[in-house]
Amino acid sequence: MSRPEHQAPPEIFYNDDESKKYATSSRMIEIQTRMANRAIDLLMLPERPCLLLDVGCGSGISGEAITERGHFWVGYDISPSMLKIAHQREVDGDLFLADAGQSLNFRPGTFDGAISISALQWLCNVDKKGHEPYKRLKCFFERLYCCLNKGARAVLQFYPETDSQLEMITSAALRCGFGGGLVVDYPHSTKAKKHFLVIYAGLSGNVPQNIPPPLDDEDEEMQVAVEGRTRVKKRRGKVELSYKDKIIKKKEHQRRKAVNVRKDTKYTARARKPRGF
């Protein structure tokens, strides 16, 4: 199955039908909410209500997670259909239509942090004439750096397609003045693996600048892997031959030694009935 960003630009792919399916799928809501809460945890916010920016807010699922944590938020998205769904759901955040790859003029130092769930990889595509992924990424990170408070964090969850794409995204962030790095949750799992770019805008004594450790169920993964290897070994071990197969194999071995043995028939190795006396 091809990735969504390969099928159409986001404002076209997330039309009315797709946006409705996205916003009403219980599985999608659960996944998005879980990732949004993980992103908020990685922000390491102070113990007070904060104002956050939600980049690619979509239908407001991640914004609702921000609200439930006691914070305020402003969100933008490139899809009018997604924003219409968010308005219908009556989310608490302020919403507006915008392209993350273009210059957004927020007042400097407006936000205490920023999150983005499953949106950043869209900037790596060439959807229109003149689109250059690296320039669009740099434009995004430059404006993001400007609108964050000094030392504030941004946590951006995304799905990199290749290692070069991953390197391009992190390089663009660091070139724009951000510090930080990548947090990969469940790195040994194919399905559960999640990439979070955890970056901070400058240094501040109020916010710790260490990168939190990733979530990892390594012990469980190792146990599953070991059990899998054990089962494979059992399957690949010596196959237990039947009594008939053993007899036929032994006779073939004797024939190769030029020993005169009887021909194989349907009665070969058949169990004989006991004789009566």
Side-chain angles (χ1 to χ4, degrees):
M1 186 176 179
S2 62
R3 294 165 63 100
E5 58 266 27
H6 290 172
Q7 299 180 38
E11 64 271 25
I12 297 174
F13 179 82
Y14 289 110
N15 53 28
D16 288 346
D17 292 337
E18 192 67 30
S19 298
K20 187 176 180 180
K21 285 193 293 184
Y22 192 93
T24 55
S25 167
S26 58
R27 178 177 174 274
M28 189 60 67
I29 292 173
E30 181 187 357
I31 293 172
Q32 293 292 100
T33 301
R34 192 187 311 128
M35 290 192 297
N37 278 307
R38 173 61 173 155
I40 297 169
D41 290 339
L42 291 170
L43 285 176
M44 301 179 71
L45 296 169
E47 295 293 329
R48 60 173 175 80
C50 297
L51 178 62
L52 304 181
L53 176 65
D54 188 356
V55 179
C57 62
S59 59
I61 297 172
S62 51
E64 287 184 333
I66 295 174
T67 301
E68 289 177 2
R69 301 287 286 268
H71 303 295
F72 306 101
W73 60 280
V74 174
Y76 68 85
D77 200 278
I78 198 173
S79 168
S81 298
M82 278 290 201
L83 293 176
K84 184 168 69 174
I85 295 290
H87 279 295
Q88 291 172 357
R89 299 176 72 224
E90 298 182 345
V91 297
D92 292 328
D94 295 325
L95 306 171
F96 64 96
L97 183 69
D99 179 2
Q102 295 181 352
S103 181
L104 299 174
N105 295 317
F106 289 110
R107 185 176 297 175
T110 299
F111 298 103
D112 301 308
I115 69 168
S116 178
I117 307 299
S118 309
L120 195 57
Q121 68 271 8
W122 288 90
L123 292 179
C124 298
N125 278 16
V126 180
D127 295 323
K128 297 178 181 178
K129 185 178 179 180
H131 274 191
E132 295 182 34
Y134 190 72
K135 285 187 176 180
R136 283 170 58 77
L137 284 166
K138 280 194 68 178
C139 180
F140 164 69
F141 283 117
E142 284 171 357
R143 300 313 305 168
L144 181 62
Y145 188 97
C146 182
C147 71
L148 291 175
N149 282 325
K150 185 177 180 181
R153 289 186 172 214
V155 178
L156 315 172
Q157 182 276 325
F158 64 103
Y159 294 101
E161 185 176 9
T162 61
D163 290 340
S164 60
Q165 193 179 92
L166 183 64
E167 185 178 351
M168 179 173 64
I169 291 172
T170 54
S171 172
L174 298 178
R175 283 288 183 93
C176 294
F178 280 103
L182 202 63
V183 174
V184 183
D185 284 351
Y186 309 112
H188 306 292
S189 172
T190 305
K191 292 184 177 180
K193 187 176 184 179
K194 295 292 182 295
H195 291 79
F196 293 86
L197 185 61
V198 181
I199 50 179
Y200 48 85
L203 299 175
S204 172
N206 298 326
V207 182
Q209 304 307 343
N210 59 306
I211 301 297
L215 299 178
D216 193 357
D217 53 356
E218 187 174 359
D219 294 337
E220 183 179 348
E221 293 288 337
M222 289 285 286
Q223 184 177 357
V224 171
V226 169
E227 289 176 356
R229 285 197 296 271
T230 303
R231 289 194 293 270
V232 169
K233 283 181 179 178
K234 286 180 180 178
R235 289 196 296 269
R236 291 181 180 177
K238 276 190 174 182
V239 179
E240 187 68 25
L241 297 176
S242 66
Y243 175 72
K244 181 176 181 179
D245 291 335
K246 286 180 179 178
I247 296 297
I248 292 174
K249 187 176 179 181
K250 185 176 181 179
K251 289 174 73 174
E252 287 175 353
H253 181 68
Q254 289 175 330
R255 287 191 187 104
R256 285 196 294 269
K257 291 185 173 182
V259 178
N260 188 19
V261 293
R262 292 182 180 179
K263 292 181 179 180
D264 296 334
T265 67
K266 64 179 181 178
Y267 300 106
T268 300
R270 179 176 289 188
R272 300 178 184 272
K273 294 181 180 179
R275 293 182 180 181
F277 293 97

